[in-house]
Amino acid sequence: LKDPNSTGTEADIQAQIAMLFELRDDMNAAAEMVNRIEWIRRQLYDLRAVLEEKEGADDVVAAADDLDEKLIGLEENLIQLKLTGTGQDGVRWPAMLVGRIGYLAGVVSVGDFPPTDQAGEVQGVLEERLRRYEGTLDDLLRTDVAAFQHMLRERELGSVVTELR
């Protein structure tokens, strides 16, 4: 509800809420990407643990390591992987896309006023980055993960689950 002492209007609040819903959707999309990447990486680690004791599987282990590096490279754009949860992490390491979306949502949610033009511009930049990262993940799944899956099938080692649904 609008603060009766605020000069903001109901329309201002509606604009604010609309942007917050968009930011929530972007945050959810980024979180789904992180979860998907983490799910694939976990499977790579489990597979590596099994294959390290098998002879003749060095190339599969190397391919898993290569794929893991590529997935980490993308994930590092989405979340800060260096955070320890203690001390001065927020000062030591920059916020990545998820942190930036969250920060913008916090700024936009203050008061009974519409988002500033600058907030709209930042949202546009962050949405563009999100779409670019989604494209990168799609490319990785279509090329690198598909090639790794093919290698696993040739060796009758099963496959990596890439869908969370």
Side-chain angles (χ1 to χ4, degrees):
L1 295 173
K2 179 184 163 327
D3 179 346
N5 299 315
S6 170
T7 58
T9 65
E10 292 291 333
D12 292 342
I13 294 171
Q14 291 304 316
Q16 177 188 47
I17 296 299
M19 180 181 273
L20 288 170
F21 281 150
E22 291 170 8
L23 291 170
R24 179 208 54 200
D25 293 344
D26 290 346
M27 182 71 81
N28 287 339
E32 285 180 26
M33 287 176 56
V34 169
N35 289 336
R36 192 171 187 189
I37 290 168
E38 285 291 318
W39 176 247
I40 295 169
R41 289 183 58 217
R42 175 75 259 160
Q43 293 174 82
L44 294 177
Y45 294 160
D46 292 344
L47 180 63
R48 185 182 314 135
V50 170
L51 293 179
E52 284 177 345
E53 298 176 12
K54 272 188 137 181
E55 289 200 23
D58 291 344
D59 58 335
V60 178
V61 171
D65 289 343
D66 181 56
L67 181 55
D68 187 42
E69 284 182 33
K70 291 177 181 179
L71 291 168
I72 287 172
L74 173 57
E75 189 176 11
E76 286 177 328
N77 292 307
L78 298 168
I79 60 173
Q80 181 52 262
L81 294 175
K82 296 176 184 174
L83 297 179
T84 63
T86 61
Q88 299 289 316
D89 282 351
V91 176
R92 287 188 186 108
W93 312 113
M96 305 316 285
L97 184 65
V98 169
R100 292 173 184 193
I101 293 170
Y103 182 83
L104 180 59
V107 169
V108 169
S109 67
V110 175
D112 291 340
F113 303 102
T116 64
D117 293 342
Q118 294 87 343
E121 289 177 30
V122 170
Q123 180 189 20
V125 168
L126 296 177
E127 283 182 345
E128 186 275 323
R129 286 183 190 168
L130 177 61
R131 300 301 165 245
R132 189 172 70 234
Y133 298 147
E134 287 173 333
T136 301
L137 179 58
D138 288 344
D139 290 345
L140 276 171
L141 292 170
R142 191 174 44 258
T143 58
D144 297 77
V145 174
F148 185 73
Q149 298 277 46
H150 182 22
M151 177 185 277
L152 293 177
R153 281 192 297 277
E154 283 181 335
R155 304 277 180 101
E156 297 181 355
L157 293 172
S159 64
V160 173
V161 176
T162 61
E163 294 291 329
L164 295 175
R165 295 183 182 132

